[in-house]
Amino acid sequence: MMVIEYCEDGNLRNYLNKSENYINYNSKIYKLQQIARGLLDIHNAEKVHKDFHSGNILIAYSSSYISDLGMCQPANIKQTVKEEGIYGVLPYMAPEVLRGQQYTKAADIYSFGIIMNEFLSEEIPFNDIPHNEFLAIKICKGLRPTISKDIPKLLADLMVKCWDAEIKNRPTTKELYQTLNGWYNGAKGQNGEIYFQIKECDKIRKEKFKNRSNEDKSKSFKTHPQAVYTSRLLNFKNLPKPVNSSGLSSFQFSSDTSYTAQSTSANPSKYSLYYYNYFI
């Protein structure tokens, strides 16, 4: 038997759904930095999570945890993909994994980018369409979740870098953690570009939060009947080679935003191991 802390706020999606107060960007960056630190601990132990999605991020007060390591495996052992397919939650899975390639630390980074967007935008990824082979094809062709216009550009650029189709373009876990940690300290210290960006975006989101009705909130969390957010067996054949699409709007930025697909070239500055839960 193992006794661990009870996370009364549930997983990340529960936390967002239940929250009655506005969650500001400073708080979100802090939690993302914690999650990145937990992922760094996993990767420093030469493991990969392999099932990294918002349902496996647990929240308790101001702390965050990465949970459910049932599929966690050594990162340095070559794995043979079985004929019957792979397990996971489709919207969070890297395109190379969907094609049957070996799961790497970079695949966890891709998942982090999707989780990051879900947390910042408070929108469930691909919640309005079926999670089937057609979505897998679109992801390989460059489709990504919408990036809201009220997400600070520095954060948007980092997400785009995390979910780049090219593995080599994604940040390492250490780079990811150091970047978020630097931004949290800058925001807390009320200095630097990140502080001014989140200050402006917080104004916009606070106003939207005040004007949002309970009905609007419930609508934002509704999902398509064929959208599945629990791990399951997936078996897709002959998926296209992953690309950062120019045809399909790769990053689907919300209308009237000034962001462009050129965000893919962003280069953010570089600045405990448990068998069940990694404390972050």
Side-chain angles (χ1 to χ4, degrees):
M1 176 167 37
M2 183 176 288
V3 180
I4 56 177
E5 181 179 349
Y6 175 64
C7 296
E8 67 172 21
D9 291 319
N11 64 32
L12 182 58
R13 195 171 303 131
N14 298 145
Y15 172 68
L16 293 173
N17 202 9
K18 290 190 305 182
S19 177
E20 296 179 357
N21 300 315
Y22 174 70
I23 308 169
N24 63 39
Y25 276 113
N26 199 29
S27 174
K28 287 182 176 180
I29 292 172
Y30 176 61
K31 284 187 169 57
L32 286 168
Q33 174 243 41
Q34 288 183 310
I35 296 165
R37 177 53 194 267
L39 189 61
L40 180 59
D41 286 343
I42 293 173
H43 289 178
N44 280 345
E46 293 304 322
K47 308 282 186 184
V48 285
H49 190 284
K50 292 191 69 178
D51 194 22
F52 200 33
H53 56 83
S54 62
N56 287 338
I57 304 294
L58 304 182
I59 310 291
Y61 303 105
S62 60
S63 297
S64 306
Y65 300 81
I66 297 175
S67 69
D68 194 358
L69 302 178
M71 291 172 60
C72 187
Q73 289 185 356
N76 56 356
I77 295 178
K78 288 199 172 183
Q79 301 129 21
T80 304
V81 177
K82 295 180 180 178
E83 282 296 317
E84 62 265 25
I86 51 175
Y87 284 89
V89 180
L90 179 54
Y92 302 86
M93 298 176 72
E96 71 273 10
V97 174
L98 294 174
R99 296 185 78 230
Q101 294 179 24
Q102 182 176 350
Y103 200 103
T104 64
K105 293 177 183 179
D108 278 340
I109 295 294
Y110 177 96
S111 302
F112 183 95
I114 304 296
I115 292 168
M116 183 177 176
N117 186 58
E118 180 176 356
F119 192 16
L120 296 177
S121 69
E122 301 187 18
E123 303 266 344
I124 305 171
F126 304 129
N127 67 315
D128 55 349
I129 55 176
H131 294 177
N132 54 22
E133 186 172 4
F134 296 107
L135 176 56
I137 291 170
K138 288 178 181 178
I139 289 172
C140 288
K141 288 184 175 181
L143 182 69
R144 300 292 185 267
T146 300
I147 295 180
S148 173
K149 64 182 179 181
D150 49 29
I151 290 177
K153 188 176 186 302
L154 284 171
L155 294 173
D157 287 344
L158 180 59
M159 288 190 296
V160 169
K161 192 172 176 65
C162 286
W163 65 38
D164 197 292
E166 288 285 343
I167 292 175
K168 67 179 186 294
N169 292 339
R170 298 173 199 164
T172 65
T173 325
K174 183 177 180 181
E175 290 168 350
L176 181 66
Y177 168 69
Q178 289 180 337
T179 299
L180 288 166
N181 189 51
W183 287 344
Y184 172 66
N185 290 328
K188 187 174 62 171
Q190 300 187 3
N191 60 68
E193 183 61 26
I194 189 65
Y195 170 72
F196 295 105
Q197 286 190 17
I198 68 173
K199 186 178 178 182
E200 289 303 309
C201 291
D202 267 332
K203 284 182 186 176
I204 299 169
R205 286 195 72 88
K206 275 182 185 174
E207 194 61 32
K208 283 170 65 176
F209 186 84
K210 280 197 303 185
N211 296 331
R212 184 172 64 172
S213 67
N214 288 332
E215 184 180 353
D216 291 335
K217 187 174 182 181
S218 65
K219 279 181 183 177
S220 70
F221 287 99
K222 284 185 177 177
T223 60
H224 190 281
Q226 294 177 50
V228 182
Y229 292 95
T230 54
S231 297
R232 58 182 174 138
L233 180 66
L234 300 169
N235 192 357
F236 304 126
K237 303 293 185 185
N238 302 317
L239 292 180
K241 181 181 178 181
V243 294
N244 291 319
S245 171
S246 55
L248 270 172
S249 175
S250 280
F251 312 117
Q252 298 226 330
F253 290 99
S254 294
S255 59
D256 71 61
T257 174
S258 61
Y259 300 148
T260 70
Q262 289 178 349
S263 301
T264 52
S265 63
N267 184 22
S269 60
K270 300 180 183 177
Y271 266 71
S272 59
L273 174 61
Y274 298 91
Y275 284 103
Y276 185 72
N277 271 359
Y278 285 80
F279 177 69
I280 306 165

